[in-house]
Every structure is written in structure tokens, then in C-alpha cells.
């Protein structure tokens, strides 16, 4: 899994922050990392030098093998909260997608039971009249 960190010009300590954010992403996505080819993280400070409520933003976009990218956004008062919150959201979204794929494969693999009873009033297939003879 490749992780790319991007920051805007208002972010101080870019290298240190990028290293830390990369570690957060690796840890949060460790259970599903084998299905992810790349994660892009965009960190920004919406108000620049001015402080403000929820002015730190983290956007994470993950590319899963064979699927469209998944993106999540988290705004918070601190960059720590924004990165951790986005990582949690992204993990949940990816696990949900993987779970749906797994359930779908299970349903497709389940054989139709031979002894299944037909609904009451249904005509057995061998007794049904072909559509062209109706």
C-alpha cells in the first residue's frame, strides 16, 4: 500500500506531519491494506494563520483493487483529530465495501436447495404451458 501525503502552504512542519499521518493511516488500515493499492491524504488549514473552529481538514482517498476510489473528509479543531477521524471513517467505509463483496460472493456460491418447496399455488415447471402456446 502506497501512501502519499499532500499539504497546503499553511501547514507547518510538513515532513514531520507527513511522517506521523502516514503512520496513522498504516495502522488504521492494517487489516485491509492487502486490498488497497494507494492512499492519498490531503491536509489543509482552511483559515491559514487565523485560528478557527474546525478549520483543519483531512481528505483521504483510497484506491481499492478493481474498484472506484473511496474518499472521506474530516474537519476538526486540530490536525490530530482531523487525521484520526478521517482514518476511522475510511476504515469503516472500506470494511463495509469488503463485507458487501464477501456477502455477495457467498450468495452467488450458495446452491439452490433441491428440496425447496414451491410457493403455494405455483405451477410445477414441467406442467407449465410454454409462452408461445398460451
Amino acid at each position: 500500500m502506497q501512501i502519499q501525503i499532500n499539504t497546503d502552504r499553511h501547514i507547518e512542519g510538513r515532513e514531520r506531519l507527513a511522517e506521523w499521518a502516514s503512520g496513522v493511516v498504516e495502522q488504521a488500515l492494517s487489516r485491509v491494506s492487502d486490498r488497497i493499492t494507494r492512499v492519498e491524504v490531503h491536509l489543509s488549514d482552511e483559515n491559514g494563520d487565523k485560528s478557527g473552529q474546525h478549520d483543519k481538514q483531512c481528505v483521504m482517498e483510497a484506491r481499492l483493487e478493481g474498484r472506484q476510489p473511496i474518499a472521506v473528509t474530516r474537519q476538526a479543531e486540530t490536525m490530530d483529530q482531523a487525521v484520526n477521524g478521517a482514518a476511522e471513517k475510511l476504515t469503516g467505509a472500506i470494511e463495509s465495501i469488503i463485507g458487501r463483496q464477501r456477502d455477495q460472493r457467498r450468495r452467488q456460491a450458495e446452491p439452490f436447495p433441491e428440496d425447496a418447496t414451491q410457493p403455494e399455488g405455483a405451477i410445477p415447471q414441467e406442467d407449465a404451458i410454454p409462452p408461445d402456446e398460451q
Side-chain angles (χ1 to χ4, degrees):
M1 172 175 70
Q2 181 184 4
I3 300 172
Q4 180 181 341
I5 310 289
N6 302 304
T7 62
D8 73 5
R9 58 187 168 92
H10 299 292
I11 303 291
E12 293 181 21
R14 292 178 186 183
E15 289 181 26
R16 194 178 72 233
L17 181 62
E19 204 173 296
W20 169 78
S22 184
V24 169
V25 171
E26 281 182 30
Q27 184 176 1
L29 300 176
S30 63
R31 292 190 312 224
V32 293
S33 64
D34 59 326
R35 297 183 183 226
I36 302 170
T37 57
R38 178 184 176 136
V39 177
E40 287 187 43
V41 180
H42 301 274
L43 305 174
S44 60
D45 186 344
E46 300 298 306
N47 293 334
D49 296 333
K50 299 175 275 179
S51 64
Q53 193 173 15
H54 302 291
D55 67 335
K56 308 297 189 268
Q57 179 173 288
C58 178
V59 178
M60 290 188 188
E61 180 181 271
R63 298 181 185 276
L64 286 136
E65 294 175 350
R67 295 196 57 90
Q68 292 291 321
I70 303 162
V72 297
T73 302
R74 174 76 153 117
Q75 291 181 312
E77 287 186 40
T78 67
M79 195 56 73
D80 181 26
Q81 292 170 340
V83 170
N84 282 300
E88 286 177 27
K89 273 182 161 179
L90 186 60
T91 301
I94 291 171
E95 287 177 345
S96 176
I97 288 169
I98 291 170
R100 284 195 306 262
Q101 285 177 330
R102 185 177 40 246
D103 291 347
Q104 188 176 26
R105 281 194 303 270
R106 278 189 193 142
R107 282 192 298 272
Q108 290 172 349
E110 289 177 3
F112 188 74
E114 291 180 28
D115 63 337
T117 58
Q118 294 203 1
E120 191 174 314
I123 300 172
Q125 189 64 26
E126 58 271 3
D127 295 339
I129 300 171
D132 57 339
E133 293 180 20
Q134 290 181 352

